């Protein structure tokens, strides 16, 4: 539904093809419905697990919706896997029962849904402000992957992303290059996307967005000047 880090959505035809493959070979698909709770500009995409419940294990957690410190997650697995999962010693201490009970009450009372709605609005406002600032300070950049999640992609065709990452880090702006998420760096070419920044905004305050973008734009200009 939202591939990390590109934000690409698998088409309905490809989703159906994947589910058919799992049925044909009696395979098991591990589905992490990434950023399912934080989609802003499109209707939510149904989990693949609903299409093939006997062949898909859906993973989820509270790491982004509440906090990683809560240490609560789940697997919606095919019924034939239940006994094995319950019997499995995964190592480490399980989350406290009191935390599980507290979340159960938070969920069944409707408070979790209200929390998600408020969080979605808050992050959408921050994302919108980030897009406005990028349009003002880096005009013409074809921003991508902004429909969901806490990050977006910023292509920089005329300067290397790695150099911008290093330059920005010297001014307290932490970014990543899309190439950091590849097993093998993409070969240069007319369609290459290696010079692309991954810009996260989950840990930014709304007030910090304009200054962060100004520092980013200045870093881009300095790198461009060095490459001339």
């Amino acid at each position: 539904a939202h591939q990390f880090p590109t934000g690409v959505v698998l088409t309905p035809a490809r989703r159906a093809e994947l589910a058919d493959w799992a049925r044909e070979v009696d395979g098991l698909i591990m589905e992490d419905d990434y950023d399912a709770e934080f989609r802003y500009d499109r209707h939510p995409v149904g989990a693949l697990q609903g299409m093939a419940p006997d062949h898909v294990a859906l993973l989820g957690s509270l790491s982004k919706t509440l906090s990683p410190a809560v240490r609560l997650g789940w697997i919606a697995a095919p019924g034939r896997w239940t006994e094995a999962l319950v019997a499995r010693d995964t190592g480490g201490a399980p989350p406290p029962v009191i935390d599980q009970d507290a979340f159960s009450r938070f969920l069944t009372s409707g408070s979790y849904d209200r929390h998600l709605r408020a969080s979605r609005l808050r992050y959408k406002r921050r994302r919108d402000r980030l897009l406005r600032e990028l349009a003002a300070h880096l005009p013409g950049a074809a921003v991508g992957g902004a429909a969901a999640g806490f990050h977006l992609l910023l292509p920089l065709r005329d300067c290397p992303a790695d150099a911008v990452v290093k330059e920005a880090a010297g001014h307290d702006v932490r970014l990543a290059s899309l190439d950091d998420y590849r097993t093998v760096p993409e070969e240069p070419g007319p369609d290459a996307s290696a010079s692309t920044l991954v810009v996260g905004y989950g840990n930014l305050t709304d007030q910090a967005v304009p200054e962060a973008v100004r520092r980013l734009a200045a870093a881009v200009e300095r790198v461009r000047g060095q490459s001339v």
Side-chain angles (χ1 to χ4, degrees):
H2 187 247
Q3 193 270 345
F4 180 86
T6 66
V8 171
V9 180
L10 207 62
T11 65
R14 292 287 287 164
R15 290 160 63 86
E17 184 180 350
L18 182 59
D20 289 343
W21 167 85
R23 296 187 189 99
E24 181 180 343
V25 303
D26 194 27
L28 178 68
I29 298 168
M30 307 296 288
E31 180 179 19
D32 177 6
D33 196 10
Y34 191 79
D35 288 331
E37 300 89 357
F38 298 102
R39 295 176 184 147
Y40 313 120
D41 300 327
R42 60 172 182 251
H43 293 295
V45 179
L48 188 66
Q49 194 262 352
M51 297 175 60
D54 293 334
H55 295 280
V56 179
L58 177 64
L59 313 179
S61 79
L62 302 180
S63 292
K64 286 188 292 183
T65 58
L66 290 179
S67 168
V70 179
R71 295 183 60 247
L72 287 180
W74 53 86
I75 305 176
R80 56 183 169 155
W81 287 79
T82 303
E83 184 176 346
L85 285 170
V86 171
R88 176 71 175 170
D89 180 8
T90 58
V97 172
I98 191 170
D99 291 357
Q100 297 180 55
D101 182 63
F103 176 65
S104 175
R105 296 175 184 227
F106 193 49
L107 181 66
T108 56
S109 69
S111 297
Y112 186 57
D113 283 339
R114 290 190 291 273
H115 165 73
L116 288 179
R117 286 195 295 271
S119 298
R120 194 178 299 118
L121 288 173
R122 182 167 63 253
Y123 285 117
K124 184 179 186 300
R125 285 194 298 266
R126 187 179 305 166
R127 190 240 15 206
D128 291 346
R129 187 169 190 179
L130 177 59
L131 289 173
R132 290 194 301 270
E133 293 293 333
L134 288 172
H137 293 280
L138 291 167
V143 176
F150 303 140
H151 75 279
L152 48 83
L153 299 184
L154 182 65
L156 297 172
R157 296 284 180 178
D158 52 353
C159 64
D162 287 344
V164 174
V165 170
K166 293 178 182 178
E167 182 67 28
H171 297 270
D172 298 324
V173 177
R174 189 172 65 178
L175 306 159
S177 168
L178 183 59
D179 224 24
D180 293 342
Y181 299 94
R182 302 183 193 276
T183 303
V184 178
E186 189 175 31
E187 292 295 330
D191 298 322
S193 57
S195 187
T196 298
L197 296 173
V198 181
V199 182
Y201 54 90
N203 290 330
L204 276 176
T205 64
D206 293 351
Q207 294 78 11
V209 170
E211 178 61 23
V213 173
R214 281 194 290 271
R215 294 185 186 188
L216 169 58
V220 171
E221 288 304 314
R222 285 192 293 271
V223 171
R224 283 174 177 162
Q226 294 165 6
S227 61
V228 173

